[in-house]
Amino acid sequence: MKKLIIANWKMNLTIKDSLELARQFTKKIKTNQHEIVICPDFSVLAFIGPVLKGSGLLLGAQDLAAFDLGAYTGEVSARNLKSLGVKYVIIGHSERRMRLHENSALINSKIQMALNNKLIPVLCVGEKLTEKQEGVTKEYLLRLLRQALKGIKIKTATDLIIAYEPIWAISTNKKAQAMSASEAEEIHKFIQEKTEKILHQKVRILYGGSVTPDNAATFLAQKNVSGLLVGGASLQLNKFTKIVV
Ligand code: PGA
């Protein structure tokens, strides 16, 4: 199976710059090797479809509402995302958990809403530096997985994705540095075993956190690493092109 590489542009770009970067991606990036997904912010999703058309690049969203259509000021529905051609949706990113206080119950509802609308949830989990230092990473991750996946049922292994992103490794943290690929492989194996018990399916697990052209291949070479979630480096054409080759 192709590895999956997701570009998470976060809220870094204007609509104009997003469309320009997407246009450049369509010219430079080949999608025969890996499955490649671009996640621009909501305002861009309505415009980017025609730019990506025919390129093989797929569309993802960075979040979705936990509710169906209704009185939810400021939210964006799964239905509308689906109708814009979105295939994947990032759920429970650490920035949303920490800065916007998203909790596991909400994340669980969002996963269900995505599945109900045939969007593929990309559930993010990761430990903070404190859990790492206290040596409780695995227990912590297991708790996050159990809470987020409570009652969730999927039909096939490709219906849901987990992104393992150690929070201390995300490039926006001042002292961030990527995890070593062998360390990542060990945690991925752990997540794989635990999610298989919860979901009865062997889902794909991506690595995220300071992925660069220098380390991407070493992560992708790991057996239990099914792909990458790339933030900062996905904003630069040259870097991202090197990551996805
Ligand atoms: P980074 O971000 O690649 O810039 O570390 C990853 C993410 O937050 O998804």
Side-chain angles (χ1 to χ4, degrees):
M1 189 185 250
K2 282 180 169 181
K3 299 253 173 171
L4 173 66
I5 302 182
I6 303 183
N8 177 11
W9 288 351
K10 308 190 180 182
M11 204 184 72
N12 284 300
L13 302 171
T14 61
I15 295 178
K16 189 166 167 277
D17 291 345
S18 302
L19 296 179
E20 182 50 34
L21 187 57
R23 225 167 263 126
Q24 291 172 358
F25 275 20
T26 62
K27 289 196 189 118
K28 278 268 177 99
I29 289 174
K30 307 260 176 301
T31 52
N32 44 354
Q33 179 90 347
H34 304 298
E35 193 177 355
I36 298 164
V37 182
I38 300 177
C39 300
D41 72 39
F42 284 139
S43 67
V44 176
L45 287 173
F47 302 106
I48 204 169
V51 178
L52 299 186
K53 206 165 180 218
S55 69
L57 294 166
L58 301 168
L59 198 53
Q62 298 174 17
D63 187 32
L64 84 170
F67 321 98
D68 214 340
L69 297 182
Y72 299 102
T73 303
E75 292 293 279
V76 178
S77 69
R79 269 190 221 211
N80 281 351
L81 294 179
K82 186 77 188 166
S83 68
L84 289 171
V86 168
K87 182 169 179 190
Y88 294 90
V89 57
I90 297 172
I91 297 177
H93 190 281
S94 57
E95 285 151 15
R96 298 196 62 82
R97 290 180 192 257
M98 286 160 60
R99 297 188 175 168
L100 300 160
H101 311 291
E102 269 197 16
N103 62 28
S104 290
L106 184 64
I107 289 164
N108 178 267
S109 307
K110 288 184 174 186
I111 293 173
Q112 195 56 63
M113 185 53 65
L115 291 171
N116 292 350
N117 286 274
K118 299 201 162 35
L119 294 165
I120 301 174
V122 180
L123 166 66
C124 298
V125 292
E127 78 283 7
K128 296 183 286 301
L129 192 58
T130 41
E131 281 101 26
K132 178 179 149 67
Q133 284 167 341
E134 286 164 17
V136 295
T137 296
K138 286 185 178 167
E139 294 91 307
Y140 181 73
L141 292 174
L142 181 56
R143 198 161 73 237
L144 291 185
L145 289 168
R146 282 198 177 127
Q147 290 170 343
L149 298 174
K150 195 170 172 204
I152 299 290
K153 293 198 172 40
I154 54 171
K155 292 197 186 88
T156 62
T158 49
D159 287 350
L160 186 143
I161 289 162
I162 311 275
Y164 169 55
E165 297 204 303
I167 297 171
W168 49 268
I170 293 179
S171 73
T172 38
N173 297 330
K174 279 189 200 84
K175 290 185 189 150
Q177 56 177 60
M179 187 172 224
S180 77
S182 55
E183 248 182 304
E185 171 64 7
E186 193 203 319
I187 305 276
H188 277 236
K189 194 162 174 289
F190 172 80
I191 296 175
Q192 181 70 259
E193 286 165 7
K194 297 301 174 191
T195 42
E196 204 176 341
K197 283 214 177 90
I198 301 171
L199 294 170
H200 309 292
Q201 295 282 353
K202 209 170 172 193
V203 300
R204 290 178 285 177
I205 303 165
L206 316 181
Y207 171 79
S210 294
V211 172
T212 64
D214 296 333
N215 62 24
T218 60
F219 286 114
L220 291 174
Q222 307 302 315
K223 188 164 156 269
N224 286 288
V225 177
S226 296
L228 304 167
L229 180 52
V230 188
S234 74
L235 295 164
Q236 295 178 39
L237 177 67
N238 287 344
K239 284 193 179 169
F240 195 61
T241 311
K242 285 186 190 138
I243 288 171
V244 300
V245 288

